[in-house]
Amino acid sequence: MGNTSSMLTQYDIEEVQEHCNNTFSQQEIVSLYQRFCQLDRNSGGFISADEFLSVPEFAVNLLSQRLFRMVDGLNFKEFVAFLSAFSSRATLQHKVEFIFKVYDFDGNGKVAFSDLLDVLRDLTGQFISEQQRELVLTHVLEEAGYKKDSLLVLSDFTKILGNTGLKMEVEIPVD
Amino acid sequence: MVMISQRNPLSSSTSKMSKLTTSSSELDLDRPNIEDYLPTDSIPQPHAKLRLRDLLDISPTLTEAAGAIVDDSFTRCFKSNPPEPWNWNIYLFPLWCLGVVVRYGILFPGRVLILTIGWIIFLSCYIPVHVLLKGHDKLRKRLERALVELICSFFVASWTGVVKYHGPRPCARPKQVFVANHTSMIDFIVLEQMTAFAVIMQKHPGWVGLLQSTILESVGCIWFNRSEAKDREIVARKLREHVEGYDNNPLLIFPEGTCVNNHYTVMFKKGAFELGATVCPIAIKYNKIFVDAFWNSRKQSFTTHLLQLMTSWAVVCDVWYLEPQNMKPGETAIAFAERVRGIISARAGLKMVPWDGYLKYSRPSPKHRESKQKSFAESVLLRLEEK
């Protein structure tokens, strides 16, 4: 796909749409492309760390580092697929999978206690001691029927998050 | 369910783009601190017991991040919107070509000529006045002021500036400061042709810097360097001295600190508002009918920007001199700044955005992340106690 050109052809749009399982409309894909080009200031075909962090709203987000590592170096097609979890047309399962991927840092399909601890650390910083964090996590895990050394898989996440009415949607501005 | 925030106030207010009422409702809320704009845990938490689900559900944070990736109000402030092409028709296209020929071939040389004549007149008057009248300070200052206004008029004529001034003309009185929204360095020239202001500016390199250190010094301009933190105290002191002096030219400050695209205003820096002086707001709005006057300093140098203006038909803008404002009793400098920003934005039809313009050059401070972390941590601990 012509990442360096500033115009998308109908073929390109359809390819991207297929890649993201039709979670975005064609108009939304065009808007996302404009945004991608706007962020990718040096037209490298992907958005670099500096370019992402120049968006202050993203830079102050607590999980920006994790998200950035997931989205680093993606070309436009993959960028749209990454954002597809936030579409209103995305299924609940898709959203749960996305959350799982954020936790499963090394991508081995299992989320360990240390992964849970890492995310909790990002969210709470220095305002909870490391010991307290471990205690909190152990407590809620045991209450839910898991042990401290259990490895959570995607189906566990689906079970835990599946029926909570997950709200994870972003509206793509369409001019 | 533990929520870091129920909604992102930024995306909800800026998604309704067409209404000016959004900016006045932000004004009503009178938020002085940037921390208050960013989503924090200000909503009372349902004190339910903490469950695993609550810790695993990071969807609010993720949604905010994705929202920022997809569209953010800060980048929007600095986007130069290209004009719609109108010459795509069989008879409009030759007309447009003719226009290009006229603009580049006739208007541009004419304007360069006018500007050159203006500079010759200016320098031939300014240098003698500056050198010979060294003893007669009052007369010299008056003449220099008139000459600076003259050369600015020549500049404005060189882009066929059609400027409409509304409101009472500024007068030179002590204890007053003028503030305006900032779109390009030509803002200064447009305002200067009517009144010889002393302005506070970033020191620029090149020919602009040369002009700054010679001619603009005589009108009493103050320089600063964005990148030097110590500079701030020195500048604050100079500002105060200038404002309190009797014979100084009225001081003009652009509190945004950077050029914004004339559709939005970013947060005003409080420096101008804590001098104990009356603040006279000035609103400037450019009409993009012939050319977009926004100087996108990331995309073009000032010289290119000027050339672009000189090869377009005209630069049309409105300048409103608004009612002078004083700090209300009990109002902080930041609240005062935001209030004046609201007045200027309402007059010029600009949307207010809660970001610091300097984020163009640096990252947000870690304070914002820390306050979010703190509120999440507190709610986790609190809910843990619940039985």
Side-chain angles (χ1 to χ4, degrees):
Chain A
M1 205 180 88
N3 274 322
T4 49
S5 70
S6 54
M7 287 295 295
L8 278 183
T9 67
Q10 184 62 24
Y11 285 130
D12 294 330
I13 298 178
E14 285 172 5
E15 197 189 323
V16 170
Q17 211 179 16
E18 211 190 296
H19 189 78
C20 70
N21 290 326
N22 283 22
T23 40
F24 287 121
S25 71
Q26 298 204 348
Q27 251 189 324
E28 288 172 332
I29 292 178
V30 172
S31 289
L32 281 174
Y33 188 66
Q34 285 172 351
R35 176 65 174 176
F36 185 83
C37 292
Q38 189 188 54
L39 289 176
D40 179 19
R41 253 179 267 143
N42 60 359
S43 306
F46 65 95
I47 309 175
S48 68
D50 231 19
E51 288 160 348
F52 260 118
L53 293 175
S54 70
V55 176
E57 247 173 89
F58 182 76
V60 304
N61 191 285
L62 297 174
L63 296 173
S64 57
Q65 287 293 63
R66 292 199 152 234
L67 282 171
F68 172 66
R69 268 177 280 204
M70 285 167 80
V71 80
D72 183 21
L74 293 183
N75 65 16
F76 178 61
K77 199 163 73 170
E78 295 158 357
F79 175 74
V80 173
F82 172 79
L83 288 177
S84 59
F86 297 92
S87 156
S88 49
R89 298 182 196 86
T91 61
L92 181 60
Q93 181 60 16
H94 191 157
K95 296 185 201 273
V96 171
E97 260 177 58
F98 187 88
I99 296 182
F100 184 78
K101 279 199 219 130
V102 174
Y103 275 94
D104 180 21
F105 205 62
D106 45 14
N108 62 357
K110 301 194 199 43
V111 168
F113 189 77
S114 56
D115 294 323
L116 296 172
L117 203 58
D118 286 339
V119 173
L120 192 57
R121 196 179 305 119
D122 282 339
L123 293 175
T124 52
Q126 85 239 93
F127 298 96
I128 298 188
S129 72
E130 191 68 10
Q131 244 185 335
Q132 260 185 316
R133 265 193 285 265
E134 288 192 27
L135 280 172
V136 166
L137 265 177
T138 320
H139 174 87
V140 288
L141 272 173
E142 282 174 359
E143 216 204 346
Y146 296 98
K147 288 202 287 264
K148 185 170 167 182
D149 50 6
S150 322
L151 292 172
L152 298 171
V153 288
L154 183 57
S155 53
D156 293 311
F157 266 67
T158 315
K159 197 169 45 158
I160 300 165
L161 296 169
N163 48 1
T164 54
L166 210 58
K167 280 197 92 195
M168 207 164 87
E169 258 172 51
V170 154
E171 195 190 316
I172 315 288
V174 171
D175 314 298
Chain B
M1 194 153 78
V2 170
M3 295 280 237
I4 307 256
S5 73
Q6 295 289 355
R7 57 179 183 89
N8 183 341
L10 292 171
S11 63
S12 59
S13 65
T14 49
S15 58
K16 307 182 206 95
M17 291 266 277
S18 49
K19 296 197 188 332
L20 217 63
T21 48
T22 323
S23 51
S24 56
S25 65
E26 284 186 297
L27 180 63
D28 288 338
L29 292 172
D30 204 24
R31 292 184 272 199
N33 263 323
I34 192 172
E35 274 86 28
D36 294 336
Y37 285 99
L38 293 174
T40 57
D41 218 0
S42 51
I43 302 117
Q45 290 305 297
H47 283 279
K49 199 153 161 319
L50 192 69
R51 307 210 101 91
L52 178 60
R53 159 171 42 90
D54 304 319
L55 287 185
L56 281 189
D57 184 7
I58 44 173
S59 59
T61 316
L62 292 181
T63 314
E64 272 169 36
I69 295 177
V70 158
D71 190 19
D72 75 296
S73 50
F74 187 71
T75 316
R76 242 183 273 142
C77 291
F78 304 102
K79 203 162 91 147
S80 26
N81 301 310
E84 293 290 323
W86 56 271
N87 56 358
W88 40 266
N89 198 310
I90 185 137
Y91 58 89
L92 290 177
F93 188 69
L95 272 180
W96 177 77
C97 288
L98 182 65
V100 169
V101 166
V102 170
R103 278 189 290 136
Y104 282 79
I106 303 175
L107 285 183
F108 182 63
R111 287 168 175 173
V112 171
L113 186 66
I114 291 175
L115 200 54
T116 320
I117 294 174
W119 272 108
I120 294 173
I121 297 177
F122 174 74
L123 289 171
S124 56
C125 296
Y126 186 83
I127 296 177
V129 164
H130 193 73
V131 169
L132 298 174
L133 288 180
K134 271 251 158 71
H136 312 265
D137 260 354
K138 239 191 168 150
L139 180 63
R140 183 173 71 133
K141 268 197 163 163
R142 234 170 8 136
L143 285 176
E144 284 178 350
R145 231 174 270 176
L147 284 174
V148 169
E149 287 177 19
L150 181 72
I151 187 68
C152 286
S153 305
F154 268 104
F155 256 113
V156 172
S158 76
W159 340 296
T160 316
V162 179
V163 186
K164 215 164 164 204
Y165 297 94
H166 310 260
R169 301 293 173 266
C171 48
R173 276 195 299 211
K175 293 289 218 176
Q176 77 177 352
V177 139
F178 289 84
V179 301
N181 59 312
H182 200 28
T183 304
S184 161
M185 286 225 281
I186 67 173
D187 290 340
F188 165 64
I189 299 176
V190 162
L191 293 177
E192 193 82 358
Q193 80 160 343
M194 185 52 70
T195 328
F197 287 110
V199 84
I200 163 166
M201 289 170 93
Q202 162 85 12
K203 199 72 191 285
H204 280 89
W207 62 272
V208 181
L210 180 64
L211 284 184
Q212 286 180 324
S213 38
T214 49
I215 296 159
L216 295 180
E217 284 274 1
S218 68
V219 235
C221 291
I222 302 171
W223 315 118
F224 70 89
N225 207 329
R226 224 170 254 145
S227 40
E228 278 173 37
K230 276 179 284 158
D231 211 39
R232 243 171 266 165
E233 289 157 19
I234 305 174
V235 167
R237 188 179 39 88
K238 284 194 200 168
L239 282 180
R240 207 172 297 251
E241 281 168 9
H242 187 107
V243 164
E244 288 170 6
Y246 267 90
D247 209 24
N248 291 324
N249 290 325
L251 185 61
L252 174 65
I253 299 181
F254 294 106
E256 285 173 308
T258 188
C259 291
V260 185
N261 72 356
N262 211 226
H263 286 288
Y264 298 92
T265 49
V266 294
M267 282 175 70
F268 276 10
K269 304 219 175 307
K270 61 181 165 83
F273 300 89
E274 47 186 18
L275 298 170
T278 311
V279 170
C280 310
I282 304 177
I284 309 177
K285 177 74 177 167
Y286 290 91
N287 189 328
K288 295 212 290 202
I289 185 172
F290 296 119
V291 73
D292 184 0
F294 169 48
W295 176 39
N296 196 341
S297 51
R298 284 195 275 209
K299 280 204 180 146
Q300 41 177 213
S301 71
F302 189 57
T303 320
T304 324
H305 174 64
L306 268 190
L307 287 176
Q308 190 194 3
L309 293 179
M310 285 176 78
T311 52
S312 54
W313 291 106
V315 173
V316 183
C317 72
D318 282 286
V319 173
W320 289 276
Y321 296 108
L322 302 170
E323 196 184 321
Q325 301 290 323
N326 282 302
M327 197 186 276
K328 294 194 180 136
E331 204 178 29
T332 62
I334 297 177
F336 186 27
E338 285 298 290
R339 183 164 63 89
V340 171
R341 178 159 84 112
I343 295 171
I344 293 180
S345 308
R347 182 68 270 207
L350 307 171
K351 297 174 199 82
M352 290 171 67
V353 158
W355 295 106
D356 175 356
Y358 277 10
L359 287 173
K360 229 171 151 188
Y361 308 100
S362 63
R363 301 274 169 266
S365 80
K367 273 195 303 182
H368 307 132
R369 303 181 72 134
E370 284 174 12
S371 72
K372 282 190 191 176
Q373 286 175 327
K374 181 157 179 245
S375 58
F376 184 58
E378 281 169 5
S379 81
V380 164
L381 291 176
L382 201 65
R383 291 180 58 174
L384 203 58
E385 303 298 313
E386 293 289 324
K387 283 293 166 254

